[in-house]
Amino acid sequence: MALRTLLTGHGLVESPRWQGDRLYFSDWSAGEVIAVDLAGQSETVARLKSLPLCTAFLPDGRMLLVSSPDGLLLRRELDGSLVTHAELGRRPGWNDIAVDGRGYAYVNSIGFDMMAGAPYETGVVVLATPDGAVRQVADGLAFPNGMAVTADNSTLVVAESYGHSLAAFDIDADGGLSGRRVWADLGGGTPDGICLDAEGAVWYADVPGKRCVRVAEGGRVLQTVELDRGGFACTLGGPDGTTLFVVAAEWSDGPEPVPAGTGQVLTTEVTVPAAGRA
């Protein structure tokens, strides 16, 4: 599959989301959320010193941003200002977010401060309802990472990076999660950011594997896009929903895990369009 470089010169890039006619993604190194169109014209739409810095969109088009150090879920208003949407709490490692079609926001925490070298603990998922109430709805996750909600709002899929698998939960009427199961055993795959397509498959980005992989429920590999650097996250978008966007960067075990300027936004065309929400 032919890859096109849409944007380059960034740092640790994550959390791609297609909204309207542009791709939004986060540059964690710079503390910026950036929007880019298909011609490669980009602008910074929000600045937030947060590591991680993940985003998602409410059904009305407003953006939610996870401010990890503060334990806050912020909302970007139409005038560009940031206000508090919900208080998540002071748990370490707030990470990714997915919003369903009712405006229920699911935010996960990996459970420990990886950057500070804290010992490993399992992670959780919390639910923030539109009125700002927050409650824990899942625990015991092995480094929860990317998440996505099916188009009918019935299922939440969570990437477990340390579990080398995708977990699925039924979404209850009140937003709670139940019926946890292994949606796909990925073998040696290490899933980071994910997205869903209209055939019910999941695309997952893989940093150590330097690839982006499409899998069916159960784990059967359907397609693989090879990369020359770590794949941190992916999403489907574009006018027909068939453009696969991959945010990728070099990764090392050195003092600077993501060398400056190695973060890229890549695209390739696929046949099955987007479905669901992230």
Side-chain angles (χ1 to χ4, degrees), residues 192-278:
D192 198 319
I194 66 172
C195 64
L196 293 159
D197 71 21
E199 290 184 351
V202 169
W203 282 97
Y204 74 87
D206 188 323
V207 176
K210 296 182 179 180
R211 60 186 178 171
C212 192
V213 184
R214 181 175 181 250
V215 293
E217 186 171 3
R220 181 167 61 94
V221 174
L222 304 173
Q223 288 172 273
T224 301
V225 178
E226 301 291 348
L227 309 171
D228 68 353
R229 60 199 68 201
F232 282 84
C234 55
T235 196
L236 289 162
D240 302 316
T242 54
T243 301
L244 179 69
F245 296 89
V246 183
V247 288
E250 293 181 11
W251 179 262
S252 73
D253 293 326
E256 189 178 13
V258 176
T262 66
Q264 298 180 338
V265 179
L266 308 168
T267 71
T268 190
E269 290 302 310
V270 299
T271 56
V272 183
R277 298 177 58 89

Side-chain angles (χ1 to χ4, degrees), residues 15 44 48 71 87-88 90 99-100 108 119-120 127 130 138 143 146 150 152 194 244 251 267 274 278:
S15 195
T44 298
L48 182 65
E87 296 183 359
L88 301 172
R90 290 289 182 172
V99 179
D100 75 8
N108 63 41
Y120 166 73
L127 166 67
F143 202 122
T150 55
D152 61 2
I194 66 172
L244 179 69
W251 179 262
T267 71

